[in-house]
C-alpha cells in the first residue's frame, strides 16, 4: 500500500462493464522519490485534496462487490498527515 493525494477525477463515458459505478481518481504518489500520478478506483468517497491509502494487486478483489479489472484501489482516507523523520534514514 502507498499514500497519495487526490488531484483530480477521471471521467469516462465508456468503460468496461464491471467498472460501472466506480469513481476513478487521479492520485499523486507521496513519500517516494518518484513523481508519479496513477489512476485508482475509489470505494471510500475520497475527494480532491484528500490524502488516501491505495492498495495494489489481486487482493483488491476482496474489497470489491464484483470482479473488475482494478489494480489500484483507494482503501482508506488519511485523517492526519503522517509525520516522517527522514533524519534517521540511512
Amino acid at each position: 500500500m502507498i499514500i497519495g493525494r487526490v488531484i483530480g477525477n477521471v471521467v469516462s463515458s465508456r468503460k468496461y462493464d464491471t467498472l460501472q459505478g466506480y469513481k476513478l481518481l487521479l492520485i499523486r504518489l507521496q513519500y517516494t522519490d518518484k513523481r508519479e500520478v496513477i489512476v485508482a478506483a475509489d470505494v471510500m468517497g475520497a475527494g480532491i485534496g484528500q490524502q488516501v491509502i491505495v492498495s495494489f494487486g489481486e487482493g483488491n478483489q476482496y474489497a470489491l462487490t464484483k470482479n473488475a479489472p482494478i489494480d489500484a484501489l483507494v482503501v482508506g482516507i488519511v485523517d492526519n498527515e503522517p509525520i516522517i523523520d527522514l533524519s534517521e534514514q540511512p
Side-chain angles (χ1 to χ4, degrees):
M1 287 188 276
I2 58 141
I3 292 177
R5 188 166 305 277
V6 180
I7 61 170
N9 297 303
V10 176
V11 178
S12 175
S13 58
R14 294 184 50 138
K15 55 188 165 188
Y16 194 71
D17 286 344
T18 57
L19 288 175
Q20 298 295 332
Y22 290 108
K23 183 168 70 168
L24 301 176
L25 301 175
L26 283 176
I27 299 174
R28 174 166 286 127
L29 304 185
Q30 295 186 298
Y31 310 108
T32 179
D33 293 335
K34 299 178 184 178
R35 296 217 16 101
E36 190 173 348
V37 175
I38 62 168
V39 175
D42 177 35
V43 294
M44 303 302 298
I48 294 175
Q50 288 187 301
Q51 208 172 37
V52 294
I53 301 168
V54 181
S55 174
F56 293 94
E58 290 180 25
N60 289 339
Q61 294 303 318
Y62 294 106
L64 302 175
T65 57
K66 56 187 172 185
N67 284 338
I70 293 173
D71 63 341
L73 179 67
V74 173
V75 294
I77 298 173
V78 177
D79 292 331
N80 297 306
E81 191 163 336
I83 298 171
I84 299 173
D85 184 2
L86 297 177
S87 64
E88 295 183 18
Q89 299 293 326

